[in-house]
Amino acid sequence: MPVVSEFEGIEICLYFDDHLPPHFHAKYAGQEALVEIENSCVLKGAIPSNKLKLVLAWSELHKQELKDSWNQAKNMELPAKINPLK
């Protein structure tokens, strides 16, 4: 489970050969939310709302990079790192 970005104590992870739809895992303080890449919406789970807002804003800014990294992980390749939220 590669970590592709970290900011504000949040880890953004992609799993190798993960299920559809394309998504990433946002982890914070022992909680986890699965976020769909295309629509930046939560598929499952939860993290605190103030952290989720940051994750969703970051996701919109890095949508294409997330898609590219998802495809790399889906193909069992190490996904590229993505700049954190500044």
Side-chain angles (χ1 to χ4, degrees):
M1 169 223 21
V3 176
V4 295
S5 194
E6 294 180 74
F7 53 90
E8 300 284 329
I10 304 162
E11 286 187 339
I12 306 296
C13 308
L14 293 169
Y15 286 93
F16 290 110
D17 199 25
D18 209 350
H19 61 85
L20 294 173
H23 65 279
F24 62 88
H25 299 249
K27 298 180 178 190
Y28 179 79
Q31 296 178 299
E32 182 174 355
L34 277 66
V35 179
E36 183 182 10
I37 294 170
E38 187 62 39
N39 299 312
S40 297
C41 64
V42 176
L43 297 171
K44 182 178 179 183
I47 60 174
S49 62
N50 62 327
K51 299 298 182 181
L52 180 60
K53 287 177 186 176
L54 295 174
V55 167
L56 298 178
W58 174 86
S59 166
E60 284 295 317
L61 292 171
H62 297 283
K63 188 174 296 222
Q64 187 58 53
E65 292 166 280
L66 281 162
K67 289 177 183 180
D68 294 344
S69 291
W70 163 267
N71 287 328
Q72 289 170 322
K74 187 71 176 160
N75 291 323
M76 302 300 290
E77 300 169 11
L78 189 62
K81 294 285 186 183
I82 301 172
N83 288 332
L85 190 64
K86 294 181 182 181

